Amino acid sequence: MATPTLDKVEDAKPASAPSPYITVTFRIRRYNPEISSEAEWQDFPIEIDPKERVLDGLHKIKWETDGTLTFRRSCAHGICGSDAMRINGKNRLACKTLIKDINPEKPITIEAIKGLTVLKDLVVDMDPFFQAYRDVMPFLITKGNEPTRERLQSAEDRERFDDTTKCILCAACTSSCPVFWNDGQYFGPAAIVNAHRFIFDSRDEGGEQRLEILNDKDGVWRCRTTFNCTDACPRGIEVTKAIQEVKRALITRRF
Amino acid sequence: MSAETTSAVGPVEGERLYDVDNPAPLIEPPRKRTKKSPKTARTNFELYGWLFMRLSGIVLVVLVLGHLLIQLVLDGGVSKIGFAFVAGRWASPFWQTWDLLMLWLAMLHGANGLRTVINDYAERPTTRFWLKNLLYTATVFTVLLGTLVIFTFDPNIR
Ligand code: SF4
Ligand code: FES
């Protein structure tokens, strides 16, 4: 996949513009149940500018080398939350990870996020993840008649839950949690973050119900404050802090 | 099962086990989330368990460090410990209470910690069941035996 035009340009002025392209090895965990019951690592050497993102590398492989490589992506700009994957052992969004930031000298390992059923290559079954999300009732709950005007809220009240409104439901946090790896019944950080967003919203009146749900034996008390979720979150949400705030709310509610 | 379509993995020797109509079974993670959130375990048990771990931990720091200090450091160290020493201490209700409290708190704290470890690591329901059974039996046995000894200790047994 040499790029003749670029090479020509370089020939014209060799000293001033060195090629930005380097060879990077993408070591991808492939799995296709229609071929084999075993997942296996496959190496893809690619020529790429290290200032590009891991997602661009995956595109290059899919479009130019092996069209069967399967992964999810939509926006490619860190908004839709569909391309969380385990890159060099850490959960990240492929579209927000620059190749130069993760040591391109060594092979870059890419695999599906853990704790969810792998369907093919990097695609996992997200249903259990969204089931936990739905179970915390992530919508505004109010009592009484609908007001005729907008529900007003002070800037401080809005600030209270600002951090947890940023979630894009990418599952990077939940699938980085060692408790979740071994026990899928745990609600997981993402569900708790989204419950937090409504529990601490002054306009919402369903906080009591949500706290009751998270008081479950597989709710917040299973959190071991490992901080993997906070490390993984591509939106920089302080996930563990949000979980601790829910725990505190549960305790102050009782005593 | 003709291998007409070429696969990404390349030609495989012999007949392929899996194909489009007959895919391999997917590997599901341990204890995959059930469709509806189970409403059964909505009790405060885990809340109290969590609080108990914090509070008993604080008390145990004092009790256990004090215990170690008295037993191993003060008054000639470990060599002083014998039947007479234990008999002398348990003659006072203060040390009886101290040891009783330490026994109960340490055993429950440890048992709850191990229960958490089993919950986190044991994947199959039968493994979970038997490990917890073993844990609870051992805990109850140790707590009851220890309590019995503290209360019925007879210094004139010899
Ligand atoms: S909290 Fe962060 S890591 Fe977790 S789902 Fe939301 S955006 Fe992703
Ligand atoms: S593709 Fe949308 S978040 Fe990465």
Side-chain angles (χ1 to χ4, degrees), chain B residues 45-154:
Chain B
F45 181 75
E46 294 294 332
L47 184 149
Y48 290 128
W50 190 88
L51 262 185
F52 171 77
M53 291 307 265
R54 270 83 201 150
L55 299 178
S56 63
I58 296 169
V59 180
L60 276 171
V61 166
V62 178
L63 289 182
V64 172
L65 287 184
H67 179 81
L68 289 177
L69 196 72
I70 294 163
Q71 306 283 311
L72 306 178
V73 183
L74 303 180
D75 278 340
V78 73
S79 56
K80 68 169 181 287
I81 298 180
F83 188 86
F85 177 75
V86 176
R89 279 183 85 223
W90 276 354
S92 126
F94 175 77
W95 293 115
Q96 271 189 334
T97 322
W98 180 300
D99 281 0
L100 190 71
L101 203 61
M102 194 164 67
L103 171 76
W104 277 76
L105 288 183
M107 283 309 291
L108 294 182
H109 187 98
N112 193 28
L114 276 177
R115 182 184 71 93
T116 311
V117 172
I118 294 169
N119 275 341
D120 282 0
Y121 286 97
E123 293 174 6
R124 282 183 303 148
T126 38
T127 323
R128 294 165 81 91
F129 176 78
W130 285 112
L131 281 177
K132 282 191 205 171
N133 248 343
L134 187 69
L135 172 69
Y136 297 153
T137 316
T139 311
V140 169
F141 177 75
T142 316
V143 166
L144 288 187
L145 187 67
T147 314
L148 188 77
V149 169
I150 292 178
F151 280 123
T152 61
F153 179 74
D154 176 9

Side-chain angles (χ1 to χ4, degrees), chain A residues 81 84 91 93 129 163-164 166-176 189-191 193-194 228-239:
Chain A
N91 283 0
L93 293 181
F129 173 78
D163 202 31
T164 44
K166 298 183 214 150
C167 177
I168 55 173
L169 290 169
C170 64
C173 54
T174 295
S175 62
S176 76
V193 159
N194 287 282
N228 273 15
C229 48
T230 305
D231 284 346
C233 182
R235 306 299 316 253
I237 299 172
E238 293 176 284
V239 183

Side-chain angles (χ1 to χ4, degrees), chain A residues 73-76 78-83 93 95:
Chain A
R73 72 97 175 81
S74 179
C75 67
I79 287 301
C80 69
S82 50
D83 63 343
L93 293 181
C95 63

Side-chain angles (χ1 to χ4, degrees), chain B residues 36-49:
Chain B
K36 274 230 172 68
S37 169
K39 294 241 156 44
T40 43
R42 295 267 169 84
T43 61
N44 284 321
F45 181 75
E46 294 294 332
L47 184 149
Y48 290 128

Side-chain angles (χ1 to χ4, degrees), chain A residues 94-110:
Chain A
C95 63
K96 280 187 86 174
T97 310
L98 298 189
I99 289 171
K100 72 179 174 59
D101 292 340
I102 51 169
N103 188 13
E105 327 269 82
K106 291 217 214 102
I108 293 170
T109 64
I110 300 173

